[in-house]
């Protein structure tokens, strides 16, 4: 059963204006340490030159295999990953025109109100020793947006927004189902009335029947509050219906980005074609030819030269092994970008 079989989640039209989020040449490298003295012997290139923008009210879907760097992108953007312990972070992330990496922790704090995250694990992301009221209300107290006497009414309002009973306020996370825990996480992310939310695979840990409910909730909140999402997911069928645009990542790089309808109708990159061929079709009479990729994903600690996908690509040419293809427009659609030498 596919979650999109429920009421369809319709994406609002993209608003053409100054980007809310502008990411340029983002790189995140984690150190590899060995020996008694924990010397750095190399780096895991988790994110390698990622660039994209998100407009106000827009949802950008980010898809790819496990380990391709999707979650690292989301956490680096929010500065949940810092350049400490040998970790290298470079590039530029601008939110509402402000360079996030140039801000101190003190200067970043007011900006964090507008940038929130919904975590993948609805169990591990909630403190088991705190009540729902404390979990949802904590951001409001930390940022001093409400007083103690105003906290409870605000929490009740947030529980109403995410479809939880008000009686849930005094209970603990272990008393709820997975879908209800994720609603608690959504209420916490919504508490500060942000403009932008990173949705880090918010439904992958839920039962299929619950996924549609949570997705519809996120869609309703987006329309009501004018939210922008970076929607990280594995389920390409969900991403197609939920996102305005879709970016495909492979080995730390974006290899294709386009409007959702354009990407699903006419993929340009061989990796995107392989991913889409694996999406189950609801009509058994319309099953397409599955594209099987040979070999394993290369290690991000030792990525191949040239195009990172060339060891698994049946269209690879000598040029692909030595030259990195730029992410550029393909075909007649200037918004459809792909990093491939063979695609025109």
């Amino acid at each position: 059963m596919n979650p999109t079989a429920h009421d369809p989640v319709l994406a609002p039209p993209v608003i053409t204006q100054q980007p809310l989020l502008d990411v340029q040449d983002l790189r995140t490298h984690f150190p590899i340490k060995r020996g008694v003295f924990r010397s750095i012997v190399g780096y895991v290139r988790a994110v390698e030159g990622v660039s994209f923008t998100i407009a106000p009210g827009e949802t950008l879907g980010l898809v790819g295999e496990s380990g391709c760097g999707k979650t690292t992108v989301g956490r680096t953007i929010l500065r949940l990953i810092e350049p400490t312990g040998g970790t290298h972070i470079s590039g530029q992330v601008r939110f509402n025109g402000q360079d996030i990496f140039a801000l101190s922790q003190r200067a970043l704090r007011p900006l964090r109100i507008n940038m929130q995250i919904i975590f993948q694990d609805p169990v591990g992301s909630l403190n088991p020793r705190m009540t729902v009221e404390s979990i949802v209300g904590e951001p409001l107290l930390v940022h001093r947006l409400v007083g103690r006497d105003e906290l409870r009414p605000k929490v009740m309002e947030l529980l109403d927004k995410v479809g939880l009973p008000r009686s849930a306020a005094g209970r603990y996370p272990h008393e709820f189902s997975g879908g209800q825990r994720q609603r608690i996480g959504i209420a916490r992310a919504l508490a500060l009335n942000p403009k932008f939310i990173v949705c880090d695979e918010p439904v992958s840990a839920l039962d299929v029947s619950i996924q549609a409910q949570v997705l519809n909730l996120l869609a309703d909140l987006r329309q009501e509050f004018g939210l922008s999402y970076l929607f990280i997911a594995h389920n390409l069928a969900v991403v197609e219906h939920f996102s305005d645009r879709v970016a495909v990542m492979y080995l730390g790089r974006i290899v294709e980005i386009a409007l959702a309808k354009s990407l699903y109708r006419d993929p340009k990159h061989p990796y995107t074609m392989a991913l889409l061929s694996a999406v189950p079709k609801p009509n058994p009479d319309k099953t397409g030819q599955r594209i099987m990729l040979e070999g394993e994903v290369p290690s991000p600690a030792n990525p191949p030269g040239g195009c990172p996908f060339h060891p698994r690509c049946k269209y690879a040419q000598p040029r692909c092994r030595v030259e990195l293809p730029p992410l550029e427009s393909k075909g007649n659609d200037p918004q459809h970008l792909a990093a491939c030498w063979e695609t025109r």
Side-chain angles (χ1 to χ4, degrees):
M1 183 178 178
N2 194 298
T4 57
H6 291 248
D7 294 336
V9 178
L10 299 177
V14 178
I15 304 172
T16 305
Q17 53 181 285
Q18 184 72 21
L20 178 68
L21 182 73
D22 186 0
V23 179
Q24 296 298 325
D25 199 28
L26 181 65
R27 300 171 190 268
T28 306
H29 299 170
F30 298 107
I32 302 172
K33 299 181 180 181
R34 290 178 183 164
V36 176
F37 298 103
R38 307 301 293 164
S39 301
I40 297 177
V41 297
Y43 287 89
V44 174
R45 301 173 184 272
V47 179
E48 189 71 2
V50 166
S51 300
F52 60 85
T53 61
I54 299 179
E58 182 186 17
T59 295
L60 175 68
L62 191 59
V63 301
E65 293 174 284
S66 295
C68 71
K70 305 185 300 296
T71 293
T72 304
V73 167
R75 296 193 177 206
T76 305
I77 287 170
L78 298 180
R79 275 187 59 176
L80 297 181
I81 298 174
E82 293 279 29
T84 57
T87 298
H88 286 180
I89 297 176
S90 63
Q92 189 176 71
V93 177
R94 289 188 174 274
F95 183 82
N96 259 348
Q98 288 186 277
D99 187 350
I100 290 178
F101 292 162
L103 299 176
S104 65
Q105 286 289 349
R106 185 186 185 98
L108 181 64
R109 184 167 177 169
L111 201 62
R112 288 196 182 279
I113 294 176
N114 286 315
M115 305 174 68
Q116 294 295 306
I117 184 170
I118 300 169
F119 294 98
Q120 176 181 0
D121 183 4
V123 179
S125 63
L126 302 178
N127 190 330
R129 298 187 178 186
M130 295 174 65
T131 64
V132 170
E133 181 176 354
S134 299
I135 291 171
V136 176
E138 185 178 33
L140 295 165
L141 294 177
V142 168
H143 289 275
R144 299 177 181 178
L145 297 182
V146 299
R148 289 281 180 181
D149 54 337
E150 303 171 302
L151 180 63
R152 189 170 180 82
K154 181 61 177 177
V155 170
M156 295 304 174
E157 179 184 342
L158 289 166
L159 293 181
D160 291 339
K161 291 289 184 186
V162 300
L164 288 173
R166 295 193 169 196
S167 59
R171 295 156 62 188
Y172 291 85
H174 73 271
E175 301 179 64
F176 298 90
S177 66
Q180 290 173 322
R181 290 192 191 106
Q182 196 59 291
R183 289 175 186 266
I184 296 171
I186 294 171
R188 177 177 58 187
L190 200 65
L192 300 178
N193 194 23
K195 296 179 180 178
F196 170 69
I197 298 179
V198 173
C199 301
D200 186 11
E201 302 193 43
V203 297
S204 63
L206 307 179
D207 293 339
V208 175
S209 59
I210 304 300
Q211 290 182 14
Q213 298 176 20
V214 174
L215 287 170
N216 285 327
L217 170 63
L218 290 172
D220 291 341
L221 294 174
R222 176 179 58 186
Q223 291 185 338
E224 182 176 353
F225 296 101
L227 296 170
S228 297
Y229 291 143
L230 175 62
F231 188 80
I232 301 169
H234 280 104
N235 191 328
L236 274 76
V238 168
V239 172
E240 178 184 12
H241 290 274
F242 192 79
S243 304
D244 299 304
R245 290 185 299 135
V246 178
V248 181
M249 280 192 71
Y250 182 81
L251 206 63
R253 296 182 181 274
I254 291 180
V255 297
E256 186 166 1
I257 183 168
L259 294 173
K261 291 182 178 180
S262 176
L263 185 137
Y264 281 78
R265 181 181 64 250
D266 185 22
K268 302 295 186 182
H269 197 280
Y271 178 61
T272 308
M273 298 175 190
L275 287 181
L276 293 178
S277 74
V279 177
K281 305 295 189 295
N283 187 342
D285 296 329
K286 294 184 178 181
T287 55
Q289 182 66 34
R290 174 74 184 273
I291 300 175
M292 303 299 295
L293 297 178
E294 297 182 358
E296 298 293 330
V297 179
S299 169
N302 186 28
C307 174
F309 187 62
H310 85 258
R312 306 174 72 192
C313 181
K314 65 180 181 179
Y315 305 108
Q317 302 296 320
R319 183 184 189 183
C320 302
R321 296 176 173 85
V322 294
E323 295 184 53
L324 178 68
L327 188 65
E328 58 187 5
S329 60
K330 302 292 182 179
N332 298 322
D333 185 356
Q335 296 188 74
H336 198 145
L337 311 180
C340 182
W341 290 122
E342 296 304 306
T343 303
R344 298 290 181 266

